[in-house]
Amino acid sequence: MTTILVTGGTGVLGRPVTERLRAAGHDVRVLSRHAQPYAVDLVAGGSGLDTAVAGVDTIVHCMTSPRGGDEKATANLIAAARRAGVRHLVYISIVGVDRVPFRYYRSKLAVERLVEESGLGWTTLRATQFHDLLVMLFQILAKPPVMMLPAGVSDQPVAVAEVADRLAELAVGAPAGRMDDMGGPEILTFPELAHAYLAATGRRRRLLNVPLFGKAYRGFRDGGHLTPERAVGKGTFGEYLAERFGSTKGR
C-alpha cells in the first residue's frame, strides 16, 4: 500500500482519481482548500501543507485554476515535497500548452517546467479537454438565442474517467517523465459539437461562427490543442451527452 496525496482531490478529475486509488487499496489523502483534515490553500502554503505531505510517497497534482496562481501553488507544493522526501510527483497538463499562446496554457507550461526541474521523480501527462468543460461552455453560449462559436476551431474531447484511470495507473508506477499525450477518440468542429449539445438538451439555437483575433485564437484554429496521432480515448462526446442528459440524439 502506498500513501498518495491528491491535490484538487474534490475536483472534476481529482475526485475520480482519488476513488480509483482508494479502491486499489492505497492510503489516499485529499488536499483542497476546504477538505478536512488537509484543508490547505496551496498558493498560501504554510505548516498545513507540510502536515499534508509528511509521510507521502506520491503526489498527484490535479489542482489548477484558470484565474491564476498555479505556479506559486506548485512551487510551494514542490518545496514541501522536497522537505518530506516525496518519491514521485505526477502532474496533469493540457495538450498544446507549448503550441497555443493562451494565458492559462502558458501557466500550465510553466508548471510543467517547475515539475521537471524540481529534483523529484516526476511524471507529466497531457490530455485534451474534458467532455464536462465543453458542456459548461455550451451552457453559457446557449443562453442567448444565437450561439456564437469561434470560427474554424475544432476540439478533441476526452472522458474524464479515462484520464483518471491513466493518472491512477501512473501514480502507482515509477517516475516516467513526459508521457504520450492522451486525446479523445474524435475531432469535431465546434458547430458539430454544439449541434450535438443542443440535440441532447432539446434546445434550438441558431449558430453563428465568429472569426476572432490574436495569437491564441490562431493557435486553436491551427489545431495546436489537438493530438490526432494520440486519439486513444474511447468514450465519445455523443455518448457522454446521452449518459448525462438521457438522450440518444447527441452525436
Side-chain angles (χ1 to χ4, degrees), residues 36-49:
Q36 297 294 343
Y38 303 110
V40 175
D41 183 341
L42 275 180
V43 176
S47 59
L49 178 55

Side-chain angles (χ1 to χ4, degrees), residues 174-217:
R178 168 81 185 281
M179 301 302 297
D180 289 336
D181 291 347
M182 184 172 184
E186 53 187 358
I187 296 174
L188 299 173
T189 67
F190 258 75
E192 289 174 321
L193 293 163
H195 277 302
Y197 167 78
L198 293 171
T201 56
R203 299 185 181 188
R204 293 181 180 273
R205 295 290 187 274
R206 187 166 70 88
L207 305 184
L208 180 62
N209 292 311
V210 181
L212 303 177
F213 303 94
K215 294 180 180 179
Y217 168 62

Side-chain angles (χ1 to χ4, degrees), residues 99-239:
R99 298 192 296 265
V100 180
F102 183 48
R103 180 178 177 182
Y104 178 51
Y105 281 23
R106 285 172 171 164
S107 177
K108 297 289 284 188
L109 181 60
V111 170
E112 284 189 11
R113 290 170 177 160
L114 287 173
V115 170
E116 292 169 12
E117 297 167 3
S118 66
L120 304 169
W122 62 275
T123 302
T124 293
L125 173 68
R126 291 179 181 176
T128 53
Q129 305 296 338
F130 300 149
H131 295 142
D132 313 64
L133 181 63
L134 279 178
V135 167
M136 289 174 57
L137 174 63
F138 289 144
Q139 286 173 335
I140 295 171
L141 295 179
K143 288 182 178 180
V146 176
M147 285 183 70
M148 292 186 290
L149 306 174
V153 177
S154 297
D155 205 17
Q156 188 181 357
V158 67
V160 66
E162 294 180 89
V163 179
D165 288 341
R166 183 65 173 135
L167 275 184
E169 178 184 23
L170 294 172
V172 299
R178 168 81 185 281
M179 301 302 297
D180 289 336
D181 291 347
M182 184 172 184
E186 53 187 358
I187 296 174
L188 299 173
T189 67
F190 258 75
E192 289 174 321
L193 293 163
H195 277 302
Y197 167 78
L198 293 171
T201 56
R203 299 185 181 188
R204 293 181 180 273
R205 295 290 187 274
R206 187 166 70 88
L207 305 184
L208 180 62
N209 292 311
V210 181
L212 303 177
F213 303 94
K215 294 180 180 179
Y217 168 62
R218 288 198 297 271
F220 285 119
R221 188 186 60 200
D222 293 342
H225 61 305
L226 307 176
T227 180
E229 69 283 0
R230 291 295 302 166
V232 295
K234 303 299 183 184
T236 68
F237 188 55
E239 290 167 344

Side-chain angles (χ1 to χ4, degrees), residues 4-5 7 58-62 77 86 88-92 115 121-125 166-176 179:
I4 301 172
L5 176 70
T7 73
T58 298
I59 296 173
V60 183
H61 189 22
C62 297
L77 180 66
V86 170
H88 189 188
L89 175 58
V90 181
Y91 180 57
I92 180 66
V115 170
W122 62 275
T123 302
T124 293
L125 173 68
R166 183 65 173 135
L167 275 184
E169 178 184 23
L170 294 172
V172 299
M179 301 302 297

